[in-house]
Amino acid sequence: MKRWKGWTAALLCCALLLGSAALADGYSQAHTSRHFGQVYFATCVRKGDGYVDTDGFGGITAADPYFLTVISKSVSIWAEPRTNSKKLASASFGDKLSLRAAEGGSGFIEQSGFYGIDYKGQSAWVNKSYVVRNTLEIVLMESNVPAYIAPDANAKKVGSLAKHTRYRVVGLYDDFYIVNLRGAAVAYIPMSVRHYDTFFESNYHTGASTRLTMTAATTMRTGPGDDYAAVKDVKAGAQYDCLDVIDGWYMVTELTKADGLVYAFIPSWAAQTKDGW
């Protein structure tokens, strides 16, 4: 067994508690984009062993440090930085909370394991264990992705994750993402699985697109290649918003019930765009 044996529980807690962060250098396989030249679906690649906290990093909103996301099913909002103070309210999984700026506007307020927040015009506090500042998320591009209880492929599986599902990354350990499983426990996903992240999505933050019309029936996929997981069959005449052409495949937006807009791919021979891409 790896060196994590005996302190897995402590690591899971640390993944939510540590405040300083850094993303490791390195890139995954490059793809050719019509708009951006070379792009990388997954830009967060580790060099070296051990734990790295990603809090405070990720995506287009990384420049705004005064932002929290609830990653537990619910979290209490307190009048003081302690659990025996007056409870003001509760927030639910996925809710956004505003960090309170430190005096002088530099940094934010934290005390005794709590973040200071602004709640309906008054000062309040939330336990750091149940929120993250980081906006780094990954969207899976393959099916049946294993989620483990520890950073080891021989560890117990806690789930088998579906394609086009989105997960918040709360830390990195060796070659694994530590992800939040929809308000429940955290789990470890191998970085080797096909996915894209919020750094990739930031390329398309402006929302510029062109209309695409299917000219032949084909299969929409999670990535630009026939070896990526199938999303669904599409018929001639169907229309989509197209954001880019990557490796000869049109990248379109697809709406999912659980995870909102995600990216999907259609071979260029089966469609044409309004602007002649």
Side-chain angles (χ1 to χ4, degrees):
M1 299 293 286
K2 288 188 176 181
R3 62 182 179 276
W4 51 264
K5 185 176 181 180
W7 50 274
T8 299
L11 176 62
L12 298 185
C13 181
C14 288
L16 300 180
L17 290 175
L18 293 178
S20 61
L23 292 185
D25 295 330
Y27 295 95
S28 56
Q29 180 182 354
H31 299 269
T32 302
S33 159
R34 180 184 189 274
H35 296 309
F36 303 107
Q38 287 191 329
V39 295
Y40 304 87
F41 290 141
T43 56
C44 188
V45 179
R46 292 300 312 279
K47 284 185 178 179
D49 298 329
Y51 174 76
V52 175
D53 177 24
T54 59
D55 212 357
F57 286 79
I60 195 65
T61 60
D64 180 8
Y66 306 113
F67 193 71
L68 297 173
T69 303
V70 178
I71 58 171
S72 60
K73 289 184 178 180
S74 65
V75 63
S76 297
I77 298 173
W78 304 97
E80 302 292 339
R82 60 181 190 273
T83 55
N84 60 353
S85 64
K86 180 181 178 181
K87 181 177 177 180
L88 302 178
S90 295
S92 302
F93 173 74
D95 285 351
K96 313 298 181 184
L97 303 173
S98 297
L99 277 162
R100 189 151 34 100
E103 187 175 352
S106 177
F108 50 86
I109 296 174
E110 54 182 321
Q111 180 180 327
S112 303
F114 285 76
Y115 284 124
I117 65 171
D118 291 317
Y119 177 72
K120 294 186 176 181
Q122 61 179 313
S123 298
W125 300 84
V126 62
N127 194 308
K128 293 172 65 175
S129 299
Y130 306 109
V131 294
V132 289
R133 288 168 39 230
N134 120 64
T135 58
L136 177 61
E137 293 180 325
I138 59 174
V139 177
L140 303 181
M141 300 171 77
E142 59 182 87
S143 302
N144 303 315
V145 173
Y148 299 102
I149 197 171
D152 191 323
N154 295 316
K156 180 182 178 181
K157 283 186 181 181
V158 295
S160 184
L161 309 181
K163 63 191 176 187
H164 268 177
T165 48
R166 182 183 298 269
Y167 297 95
R168 180 64 55 96
V169 177
V170 296
L172 312 173
Y173 192 93
D174 291 350
D175 296 324
F176 290 81
Y177 290 113
I178 309 172
V179 301
N180 175 250
L181 294 182
R182 308 204 180 277
V186 295
Y188 295 81
I189 295 177
M191 289 184 179
S192 58
V193 303
R194 285 175 162 178
H195 62 283
Y196 63 83
D197 59 30
T198 44
F199 289 101
F200 174 78
E201 290 179 319
S202 67
N203 292 323
Y204 306 97
H205 183 62
T206 60
S209 64
T210 187
R211 200 63 174 162
L212 174 149
T213 302
M214 300 299 304
T215 56
T218 189
T219 300
M220 176 186 290
R221 297 189 178 274
T222 59
D226 290 329
D227 56 338
Y228 281 86
V231 177
K232 65 180 183 181
D233 292 331
V234 289
K235 298 179 179 180
Q239 293 188 324
Y240 297 94
D241 290 323
C242 178
L243 281 73
D244 201 354
V245 186
I246 297 180
D247 291 349
W249 289 63
Y250 290 122
M251 190 178 84
V252 302
T253 54
E254 174 73 359
L255 183 63
T256 65
K257 291 182 179 179
D259 294 288
L261 283 177
V262 294
Y263 300 143
F265 293 80
I266 293 170
S268 57
W269 60 262
Q272 63 181 18
T273 62
K274 179 180 178 181
D275 298 327
W277 290 4

